[in-house]
Amino acid sequence: MVRIGLVDVTTSHADAFAKVFNIEKRHEGFQVTACWDKDPIRSEAVAKAYGIEMVATLEEMKDVDAVMVLSRNQDLHLEYATPFLKRGLPMFVDKTTAGSLQQAVALYKLAKRKKAPIFSASAVRFGKEIEEAKEIMKQKMGPIRLITASGPGDLIFYGQHVFDTIAELVGRGARTIQNIGDEKLNVLKITYENGMVVVATISDVGKLPFRFTVADEKTNHTFVVADHGYYYAKMMTAFVNMVKTGIPPFDPLETVEIIDTMFQAKASREKKGRVMKIKGTYKI
């Protein structure tokens, strides 16, 4: 049996993921067996709900074969991940991947050095609506010239949902970003090396849906990602496959570029809409 440990179970994602393995039992031979949170009341609640051992410290989480780091605070991810990556354990890191580009690079460098399979993502990128859109793009559309996107919430904590979806659709290649919005309403223009343009709104007002339009020269396709049950389950399938094969579900450099882009979007906003360059090349 592959024993999975959950690190920092503050968010509802801990419940969603534990449910997939321990209640629905979707993956034979995989089970969440341990959890830790700095809040012992929350940790105990998760442990009781899903039949998991609650450990008092990270050091006590020894009898696990794979780990999920789920903290809401992205600045803690590298710290929480480090002892398990040093053991070479397969790992999923919830969004937002890291608190800076430097932290993200350090996370993936450590994983590579210790040969620990790792991926980090928004669950939204695993939506069935995105699978359908990619098939339409493949069968019926030419090169994508424009993507428009929207999503709710804060730029850094929720923004990765939007950026991950764009990466799932078209991959890497972002080169500049401009944010003419404010802290509650981020309005972004991203240019790509192939000439494609993304216009995205990430908003703390209006409860915007995860809505996307992809357009080529002649036509377009619009979709809303809304089936959260599907994308949570599909992301856990990706995790299981990675544990089995040692191969992440997508290029880790996509995630590093996403983190770079998000924090450059924040910098652009702070600099009153200045166009910021995205590094594009990363050594991990």
Side-chain angles (χ1 to χ4, degrees):
M1 180 179 71
V2 175
R3 303 162 298 177
I4 303 169
L6 303 183
V7 174
D8 196 327
V9 295
T10 305
T11 78
S12 62
H13 289 187
D15 297 276
F17 301 157
K19 181 180 177 182
V20 167
F21 292 105
N22 291 21
I23 304 299
E24 299 172 353
K25 300 184 184 300
R26 295 196 183 198
H27 299 284
E28 184 178 355
F30 284 75
Q31 185 174 348
V32 177
T33 58
C35 69
W36 171 85
D37 195 280
K38 61 184 178 181
D39 178 0
I41 295 176
R42 170 60 177 164
S43 188
E44 183 178 11
V46 171
K48 287 183 176 179
Y50 303 101
I52 302 169
E53 177 190 5
M54 169 188 168
V55 298
T57 66
L58 284 184
E59 290 74 22
E60 293 179 45
M61 193 179 286
K62 294 180 179 180
D63 296 327
V64 294
D65 307 298
V67 173
M68 298 185 189
V69 175
L70 307 179
S71 176
R72 291 177 63 90
N73 183 348
Q74 63 267 8
D75 283 305
L76 294 174
H77 287 178
L78 178 59
E79 175 187 341
Y80 288 166
T82 292
F84 301 102
L85 291 178
K86 285 183 176 179
R87 291 162 54 186
L89 297 186
M91 178 173 292
F92 167 73
V93 178
D94 210 353
K95 64 89 188 153
T96 301
T97 303
S100 67
L101 173 60
Q102 292 74 21
Q103 289 178 22
V105 169
L107 182 73
Y108 281 99
K109 276 187 173 181
L110 177 59
K112 184 177 182 179
R113 188 166 69 249
K114 296 298 182 178
K115 299 181 179 180
I118 185 174
F119 83 97
S120 177
S122 152
V124 174
R125 80 176 287 157
F126 294 92
K128 68 178 180 181
E129 302 90 347
I130 300 170
E131 294 173 357
E132 294 164 357
K134 288 173 68 176
E135 189 63 23
I136 290 171
M137 290 164 62
K138 179 180 178 181
Q139 300 293 338
K140 299 181 179 181
M141 300 181 72
I144 301 302
R145 295 292 308 279
L146 171 68
I147 296 177
T148 62
S150 70
D154 168 78
L155 173 64
I156 300 300
F157 185 58
Y158 279 100
Q160 192 164 347
H161 290 308
V162 172
F163 286 100
D164 257 68
T165 299
I166 295 166
E168 181 66 22
L169 291 169
V170 297
R172 297 178 58 208
R175 289 298 172 260
T176 69
I177 188 162
Q178 182 180 22
N179 185 350
I180 61 170
D182 55 39
E183 287 190 13
K184 293 182 70 67
L185 181 59
N186 295 273
V187 181
L188 314 174
K189 177 185 177 183
I190 312 169
T191 63
Y192 280 68
E193 61 184 1
N194 63 0
M196 186 183 72
V197 174
V198 171
V199 179
T201 304
I202 300 170
S203 175
D204 245 341
V205 299
K207 295 183 179 180
L208 298 184
F210 292 115
R211 184 187 301 274
F212 301 86
T213 296
V214 290
D216 63 9
E217 287 285 355
K218 296 181 179 180
T219 188
N220 68 82
H221 173 66
T222 297
F223 60 97
V224 175
V225 184
D227 191 338
H228 64 273
Y230 182 93
Y231 59 63
Y232 283 144
K234 190 69 180 292
M235 186 163 73
M236 291 301 95
T237 297
F239 175 71
V240 166
N241 289 340
M242 183 187 72
V243 173
K244 289 179 177 178
T245 66
I247 302 172
F250 52 86
D251 186 348
L253 287 171
E254 281 190 13
T255 303
V256 177
E257 183 172 292
I258 286 167
I259 297 303
D260 189 6
T261 305
M262 282 200 301
F263 281 96
Q264 291 292 2
K266 181 182 179 183
S268 174
R269 184 184 71 201
E270 292 170 348
K271 296 178 185 297
K272 309 299 182 184
R274 181 186 299 179
V275 176
M276 307 298 292
K277 291 183 179 180
I278 298 161
K279 189 174 181 180
T281 57
Y282 313 93
K283 293 182 180 181
I284 63 172

